Amino acid sequence: MILADATWQKWQAAIRARGFRAMAAAPAARAQCGETVRQWLAQSHHADMAWFERNLDKRLDPRLVVEGAQSVIMLTAAYWPKPVQLGPFKLARYAAGSDYHEILKDALMGFCTEHLQPLGANYRVYVDTGPLLERYWAQQAGLGWIGRSGNLISRKDGSYLFLAGIITDLKVPYGEPHRDFCGTCRACIDACPTEAITEQRTVDSKRCISYLTIEHRGPLPNLPFDNWLFGCDICQEVCPWPQKFATEPERSEFEPRPVYAQLTEEQLAGADAIQFAEWFRRSPIKRTKLAGFLRNIVHLKQKNPKLKA
Ligand code: B12
């Protein structure tokens, strides 16, 4: 089924009403960046994220996920753009509030139930919840370009953006693949203290502070983490685009939780399972589990012995 332009315009308004910033689509096809992804895996740049290797065929071709898939519809939603503190430590902006996987998936499912289901469309929704190359499809749809840091950057909204996607058998109006606007700028590569950003616009997770503080289990390598307790935004903080264009999120759930800035180092380092669960209920931070969280604090204190609450 081919969607009329007028209906697509109505959808644009509907997704904004649900807290998304922009929506665009690309024809479903085999991704052209298969070689980049295979090399990334061959070089073990996915570190211990073994789940990434599973369903690789599906990840590279959305038509293997939804029968008769015609379109990949991609959406952006803004997250908190200013620095965030967790006690004396730095917290990645995306983790300032509630977990985007839950909030945005609910919002997108609601949109699909209202607008796609009545058309009898076959579809699947993703918010970092399955094998979809979200940055690649956002670039193909024209929402922005994949910068040197690997982040999807929009000329209108910068890069403090979550991505979400719908694979569907509907044909919708398509955007054009976005061109690159990094030019000769290498600010992100130069600023990354662990040299995690490769020349292929990908990230070596084994060196990325974000991976190490969130996904990695076990002892941390001897790398300079600055003061990042969970996630890292250095490659975006030095990028001219988010500095100039980032705006506050539509959804209040992504605003920083007020208690975070007030916590002391002693409180954070002394957290038990109950306290951890209470502070980080419905937050992305729960992903480290208490053990990973405390390990990160010990690591930062060893590196910055003068750190005071
Ligand atoms: C695995 C993962 C990570 C890993 C690995 C990071 C990485 N860059 O791959 C770790 C844990 C380190 C991580 C960190 C972060 N992540 Co992350 N992550 C993912 C995840 C699940 C998969 C990414 C992936 O496919 N990686 C494999 C590599 C090879 O793919 P890629 O990075 O997309 O690179 C593409 C380009 O290089 C492109 N490409 C390169 N050259 C060329 C040439 C041509 C011609 C073309 C067409 C394409 C092309 O092809 C590649 C494959 O498509 C996605 C969600 C998803 N399902 O997509 C979120 C996602 C990418 N992460 C996200 C976020 C917010 C982050 C952090 C900012 C969080 C933080 N503050 O700590 C950091 C940023 C680190 C960074 N600079 O990338 C957002 C990004 C939003 C945005 N604006 O880009 C996503 C989309 C989640 C979401 N739904 O919002 N992440």
Side-chain angles (χ1 to χ4, degrees), residues 115-308:
H115 296 277
L116 277 76
Q117 211 162 289
L119 303 177
N122 194 8
Y123 62 87
R124 252 187 119 135
V125 163
Y126 290 102
V127 186
D128 195 357
T129 45
L132 182 69
L133 291 168
E134 294 173 356
R135 289 165 164 173
Y136 171 81
W137 288 107
Q139 191 265 338
Q140 291 296 304
L143 289 173
W145 74 100
I146 298 165
R148 279 218 165 76
S149 64
N151 292 300
L152 193 278
I153 309 172
S154 148
R155 283 183 87 193
K156 275 199 250 127
D157 300 316
S159 62
Y160 294 129
L161 297 170
F162 295 120
L163 300 180
I166 308 167
I167 307 175
T168 176
D169 61 357
L170 288 176
K171 253 190 176 171
V172 302
Y174 299 129
E176 289 286 319
H178 204 292
R179 66 169 263 237
D180 180 84
F181 281 91
C182 284
T184 55
C185 178
R186 294 171 59 85
C188 54
I189 294 188
D190 296 342
C192 178
T194 56
E195 297 177 5
I197 303 172
T198 75
E199 294 293 333
Q200 287 77 44
R201 300 193 175 210
T202 54
V203 166
D204 178 356
S205 305
K206 294 193 298 306
R207 302 188 69 85
C208 177
I209 297 172
S210 175
Y211 168 79
L212 291 166
T213 56
I214 301 172
E215 302 289 334
H216 179 70
R217 303 287 172 258
L220 292 170
N222 188 20
L223 288 169
F225 277 26
D226 186 8
N227 193 22
W228 294 95
L229 176 55
F230 180 93
C232 170
D233 288 323
I234 295 175
C235 56
Q236 302 194 84
E237 286 179 341
V238 298
C239 175
W241 294 92
Q243 275 177 44
K244 202 160 170 199
F245 295 105
T247 50
E248 290 189 9
E250 281 73 13
R251 299 199 68 123
S252 58
E253 297 99 320
F254 299 139
E255 288 171 15
R257 294 184 175 177
V259 65
Y260 287 179
Q262 291 155 20
L263 293 170
T264 64
E265 187 201 312
E266 286 72 21
Q267 283 174 307
L268 291 164
D272 59 15
I274 294 168
Q275 186 64 81
F276 183 80
E278 194 184 309
W279 285 331
F280 305 126
R281 183 168 298 126
R282 302 202 75 204
S283 148
I285 301 174
K286 63 186 181 313
R287 186 157 177 90
T288 54
K289 308 227 165 60
L290 177 63
F293 185 77
L294 296 177
R295 171 207 61 185
N296 293 350
I297 294 178
V298 170
H299 184 83
L300 290 180
K301 282 174 70 180
Q302 275 167 0
K303 293 276 167 193
N304 309 318
K306 290 209 192 90
L307 199 67
K308 271 269 152 263

